[in-house]
Amino acid sequence: MKKPLRISLKTKILSLVILLIIGVVGAFSAQLIHLKLNDDIAQAKQLTLQNAKTLSYMPLLQESYREDGDSSGIISLADDMRYKLKPMTVFFLNREGLIYASTDDSKLYENVQVNDSGKALTYGSSYVQQTEESGKQVLKAIAPVVVDYGDFKKIEGTVVVLYSMDLIYTEIWGDIEKIFMSSSIILLVAVIASYFLANSIRKDTLNLEPYEIASLYRERNAILQSAKEGIIAVDANGIITMMNASASQMLGIEGKVEGQKMSEVIESRELVKMLESHEKQDNMEIHDNEKMMIINTQPIIENGKKIGVVGTVRDRTEVKQMIDALSEVKQYSDDLRAQAHEFSNKLYAILGLLQLGKKTEAIEFIKNETQTQVMEAELLHIKDEKLQAILLGKLAQASEKKIPFILDPESSLEKLPETISLSSLIIILGNLINNAFDAVKNQEEKMVRFFVTDIGNEVIFEIIDNGTGIADEVQKSIFTKGFSTKGKNRGYGLSHVKEEVAALDGTIEISTKKGNGTVFTIYLPKG
């Protein structure tokens, strides 16, 4: 398949301008030449006829015709007019068409036709016409010679004045040359201006040809529409210039929205406010249609003035699922490590008893440990396996840390509703229990207590520690993402707890006093 012929933008503009200028100048020149020719012919006719009339009224000519065609006076008049009336040629004729005299010394016109002198001889009319004499195009003016005999007047002959059309054409050609020179200058100026115009356009289009721009535009649309991240572009007036399919889907917008005001299309006032801002914003979270989305905006600045904004929208659900999966993996990893370490210690104890020959004590120890695990699960009166798994892991972790982890015997729980997932429990309880372990690790007497109940319409969790408590000035910021008193790259656990509790329409209460420990209470609705 042949490649389409690619013509550069500069070539197109130059070709178009040259053709346009040639067409316009050619049409204008033709019209001007036509008008000039008609005007010159009209002036030549008027001049020729005027000369013919003037000669016909001259006394010397009148006297010569009165004396029955005395040619001496006529010849004298012709000689006198030969140089005065150049480039016109004059003929003096009688009524029969015989030539008395003329100024045609070179015999350009051998015979002057008289058959067109009828109106002059019959009616005494003076007129001019364009005709041919001796093979040459001429303007022919005819004026009657009217002789006054006192009692009457009589037409005795005619005066014929010829004006060669070649003289008019020669003059017109001179004008054409001037017009051609002017047109050439105009064409040259237009070509130079077109060259700079083409260069300016190329500069504005980053030296890209139109077909390259079209190709980039198609690729850009394909990329934007295939991106899983929502992309929105608005101009300085808040008009949407682009919104890809992912953004429309996330925001629940149907149909084409380009060209519409974003405040009339986007329901989220928070998102509209962010897109109207002149500041760059990164990873801002907003809630819209029961979705949590992460927004990034980048203003487009030109010459210090905002001309638009590009915003990206990510559904936090995918990020949340990733965080939940990582939290589950980390939680299971920590619990397995704690259980493996604790189990390893117990195995070494059993091995020591067997090596000492104390088989009875070893068997009793194994029975006690087995019974302890069974008893722990039963004493809780917890029938939800997800919570059992988490608490058993935390019991092993507490045993490794040598922290008493007390499961309140008053606790009771039926199976949790499906709305409370394992990942949510791991994020909420895992982070709070781990924080409680950290709070008591430096205490002489350590204690962490856990309580749960589902009496009523809510599931209530309590995590109690006897740590140093939380200072009043710190309590306001503990749920802020990135805030921590434990050092850098910390401060995300409690913020995730708050987000999970909010996602489940629950609430968190804190009861703490400096030096007297902390109680975190979580309320999660069953519905």
Side-chain angles (χ1 to χ4, degrees):
M1 184 177 178
K2 280 187 176 182
K3 276 189 174 183
L5 182 63
R6 303 293 193 187
I7 301 175
S8 68
L9 178 65
K10 187 180 293 186
T11 303
K12 288 181 178 179
I13 292 177
L14 288 175
S15 301
L16 178 63
V17 170
I18 290 171
L19 290 175
L20 184 63
I21 293 297
I22 289 175
V24 170
V25 171
F28 177 76
S29 299
Q31 183 70 14
L32 184 64
I33 291 168
H34 177 71
L35 294 174
K36 177 68 174 172
L37 178 61
N38 289 340
D39 185 59
D40 287 354
I41 291 174
Q43 290 183 10
K45 283 183 176 181
Q46 184 179 3
L47 180 62
T48 305
L49 183 60
Q50 187 64 40
N51 287 329
K53 286 182 177 180
T54 302
L55 290 172
S56 69
Y57 291 125
M58 293 189 73
L60 178 60
L61 186 65
Q62 293 277 330
E63 188 64 28
S64 296
Y65 274 95
R66 185 180 294 110
E67 294 177 0
D68 197 15
D70 182 5
S71 61
S72 59
I74 299 174
I75 293 171
S76 174
L77 181 61
D79 291 338
D80 188 36
M81 294 294 112
R82 182 169 287 112
Y83 300 102
K84 291 182 180 180
L85 294 181
K86 277 190 175 182
M88 290 179 282
T89 305
V90 182
F91 292 87
F92 301 97
L93 291 80
N94 63 10
R95 290 185 59 87
E96 287 73 27
L98 294 177
I99 299 173
Y100 284 140
S102 76
T103 61
D104 185 20
D105 293 336
S106 57
K107 304 298 183 182
L108 293 175
Y109 308 100
E110 295 181 358
N111 295 301
V112 177
Q113 298 179 15
V114 295
N115 53 0
D116 51 7
S117 302
K119 289 191 293 181
L121 294 171
T122 305
Y123 303 106
S125 301
S126 299
Y127 51 92
V128 62
Q129 59 188 7
Q130 189 172 336
T131 184
E132 184 176 322
E133 290 288 347
S134 300
K136 298 177 181 63
Q137 290 291 323
V138 296
L139 293 177
K140 186 177 183 180
I142 303 174
V145 179
V146 180
V147 180
D148 188 358
Y149 288 100
D151 297 333
F152 63 93
K153 293 180 180 180
K154 181 179 179 183
I155 298 172
E156 296 290 356
T158 58
V159 176
V160 177
V161 179
L162 302 181
Y163 192 100
S164 175
M165 293 292 294
D166 291 341
L167 299 174
I168 298 176
Y169 294 144
T170 300
E171 186 177 352
I172 289 295
W173 274 114
D175 294 336
I176 291 175
E177 289 178 1
K178 294 177 183 177
I179 293 172
F180 178 76
M181 290 297 296
S182 301
S183 302
S184 299
I185 294 172
I186 293 172
L187 181 60
L188 180 61
V189 171
V191 169
I192 295 172
S194 302
Y195 177 81
F196 285 108
L197 173 63
N199 284 341
S200 176
I201 294 174
R202 284 290 301 273
K203 183 179 178 181
D204 292 339
T205 58
L206 304 179
N207 288 323
L208 294 174
E209 295 293 343
Y211 63 87
E212 293 175 318
I213 296 173
S215 178
L216 288 175
Y217 179 77
R218 288 190 292 268
E219 291 172 4
R220 169 250 197 194
N221 279 346
I223 291 170
L224 291 176
Q225 295 305 325
S226 64
K228 295 302 180 184
E229 192 172 43
I231 303 173
I232 307 169
V234 297
D235 63 14
N237 298 316
I239 304 298
I240 297 174
T241 58
M242 190 282 299
M243 179 183 290
N244 70 349
S246 297
S248 299
Q249 184 179 5
M250 291 180 199
L251 299 175
I253 298 171
E254 296 181 357
K256 187 176 180 181
V257 297
E258 285 78 3
Q260 299 184 44
K261 206 153 183 68
M262 64 175 174
S263 57
E264 299 174 358
V265 175
I266 301 174
E267 295 181 359
S268 173
R269 297 300 96 189
E270 289 181 90
L271 179 56
V272 171
K273 188 176 180 181
M274 292 174 69
L275 292 173
E276 289 175 345
S277 173
H278 288 67
E279 302 295 328
K280 178 182 178 181
Q281 302 180 66
D282 293 322
N283 298 325
M284 303 296 292
E285 294 183 359
I286 66 169
H287 295 268
D288 181 58
N289 293 330
E290 299 182 356
K291 291 182 181 178
M292 183 175 285
M293 294 178 290
I294 298 175
I295 310 297
N296 292 277
T297 63
Q298 176 62 59
I300 303 171
I301 306 298
E302 185 175 308
N303 298 326
K305 185 179 179 183
K306 176 186 170 185
I307 62 172
V309 176
V310 174
T312 61
V313 183
R314 285 179 289 164
D315 190 344
R316 192 182 179 279
T317 304
E318 297 180 1
V319 180
K320 181 177 176 297
Q321 290 172 349
M322 186 184 301
I323 293 173
D324 291 349
L326 291 173
S327 298
E328 289 181 30
V329 172
K330 185 177 183 299
Q331 185 68 46
Y332 283 132
S333 173
D334 291 343
D335 292 346
L336 287 173
R337 183 174 57 82
Q339 289 180 5
H341 190 271
E342 186 69 16
F343 187 66
S344 175
N345 290 336
K346 291 176 180 179
L347 284 178
Y348 282 121
I350 294 170
L351 178 60
L353 290 172
L354 291 175
Q355 287 176 342
L356 294 172
K358 297 182 182 293
K359 295 182 180 179
T360 303
E361 288 83 349
I363 292 170
E364 189 66 27
F365 180 75
I366 293 171
K367 287 181 178 180
N368 288 338
E369 287 301 318
T370 305
Q371 187 66 24
T372 300
Q373 295 295 333
V374 174
M375 287 294 291
E376 286 174 350
E378 290 179 350
L379 286 174
L380 289 173
H381 299 292
I382 293 172
K383 298 180 181 180
D384 188 85
E385 295 177 352
K386 294 180 290 187
L387 186 55
Q388 285 181 1
I390 293 172
L391 292 177
L392 286 172
K394 291 302 176 185
L395 281 168
Q397 188 177 350
S399 177
E400 181 188 13
K401 293 176 179 288
K402 305 303 180 185
I403 297 174
F405 183 40
I406 301 171
L407 308 177
D408 196 309
E410 299 298 324
S411 297
S412 65
L413 178 68
E414 297 296 326
K415 190 172 181 63
L416 288 170
E418 294 182 359
T419 54
I420 303 176
S421 65
L422 175 60
S423 63
S424 296
L425 284 175
I426 289 174
I427 291 173
I428 296 171
L429 299 181
N431 280 296
L432 291 177
I433 293 172
N434 286 342
N435 284 352
F437 289 164
D438 287 340
V440 302
K441 66 182 179 180
N442 296 323
Q443 298 293 96
E444 291 184 7
E445 293 184 6
K446 303 175 178 65
M447 186 277 295
V448 175
R449 182 186 294 273
F450 177 83
F451 171 78
V452 61
T453 182
D454 60 352
I455 296 173
N457 296 323
E458 295 177 313
V459 180
I460 302 173
F461 300 97
E462 278 189 353
I463 295 90
I464 307 156
D465 68 68
N466 66 339
T468 57
I470 304 173
D472 293 339
E473 61 272 13
V474 176
Q475 289 184 39
K476 300 176 182 179
S477 305
I478 59 174
F479 291 111
T480 302
K481 184 176 293 186
F483 176 83
S484 176
T485 59
K486 300 174 185 178
K488 295 182 178 180
N489 300 321
R490 303 291 297 271
Y492 295 97
L494 287 179
S495 67
H496 291 159
V497 170
K498 183 181 179 181
E499 291 170 1
E500 285 297 326
V501 172
L504 295 171
D505 292 329
T507 56
I508 304 175
E509 289 184 359
I510 305 174
S511 176
T512 183
K513 191 173 182 182
K514 188 70 174 176
N516 290 329
T518 304
V519 179
F520 280 91
T521 306
I522 312 297
Y523 300 90
L524 299 179
K526 293 179 180 179

